[in-house]
Amino acid sequence: MYADEDAAGRVEIPASGWPDVPGDTAFTLKVPAADALVRAGFPAHVSVLYPFLHESRIDVATDRELTGLFAGHEAFTLDFDTFGRFPGVLYLDPWPPGPVTALTKDLTRRRPEAVPYRGVFGAGLAPHLTVANNEGPATQDAAYDAVQAELTPQLPLSCHVRSVHLITWDGTRWQDRAEYRLAPRR
């Protein structure tokens, strides 16, 4: 258990902003081909599950379980050619979303306490690659229209996904903790 976590593993969402807590972990798919497009201050990625378990709960047995879980999923390709928006967020829509959704469902089925986005968005958000997330309601449409117009000529992009990365929040930044290989394509 850690700072804002109760006995059931729920975290109170502070009114002051996003609730990253030191020791949080998440699973991501790195998309280096899109790094130059991202204006959000972090490397291009698609979240598989945020948050997962507090890092103190990931032991040798959990690591072994995760290795087997991810090895049960085949490597895949994601294509990015369409923008989408959530309130305050401009993103690229990965296609097909099915492989990412399957990874998330498998993780949450095995670890139901790992609720996507801590339940802030209900069952979670559709898979996405955040491009920009720094505009408020009054400025986002014009700002994101400009970013989208600038970046559209650089699309489409493709990314071959062969592994899933476990990252940990240290209170200042996200750091790689482990890489889990997916099964080779048949």
Side-chain angles (χ1 to χ4, degrees), residues 84-91 117 121 125-130 132 140 144:
R85 296 184 188 183
F86 299 128
V89 177
L90 174 67
Y91 65 88
Y117 300 97
F121 304 107
L125 298 173
H128 62 282
L129 187 154
T130 298
Q140 72 181 20
Y144 292 162

Side-chain angles (χ1 to χ4, degrees), residues 159-180:
C159 173
H160 301 290
V161 178
R162 294 179 184 93
S163 61
V164 178
H165 296 264
L166 177 64
I167 59 175
T168 302
W169 178 249
D170 69 5
T172 304
R173 63 189 173 96
W174 288 96
Q175 298 185 53
D176 283 331
R177 175 173 169 150
E179 180 178 3
Y180 297 94

Side-chain angles (χ1 to χ4, degrees), residues 17-110:
W18 197 250
D20 293 334
V21 176
D24 275 350
T25 62
F27 287 104
T28 66
L29 307 174
K30 292 183 178 187
V31 186
D35 279 341
L37 306 179
V38 174
R39 308 293 192 263
F42 44 75
H45 68 280
V46 175
S47 294
V48 173
L49 181 59
Y50 163 84
F52 183 54
L53 305 175
H54 187 269
E55 69 178 339
S56 64
R57 295 183 56 201
I58 300 175
D59 56 16
V60 172
T62 304
D63 183 63
R64 196 171 21 253
E65 173 190 3
L66 293 169
T67 298
L69 180 147
F70 290 118
H73 290 264
E74 200 169 291
F76 55 92
T77 298
L78 291 176
D79 294 316
F80 301 89
D81 64 3
T82 305
F83 286 94
R85 296 184 188 183
F86 299 128
V89 177
L90 174 67
Y91 65 88
L92 285 168
D93 198 15
W95 187 258
V100 181
T101 303
L103 291 167
T104 304
K105 285 182 180 179
D106 201 1
L107 283 163
T108 57
R109 184 174 34 257
R110 292 188 192 204

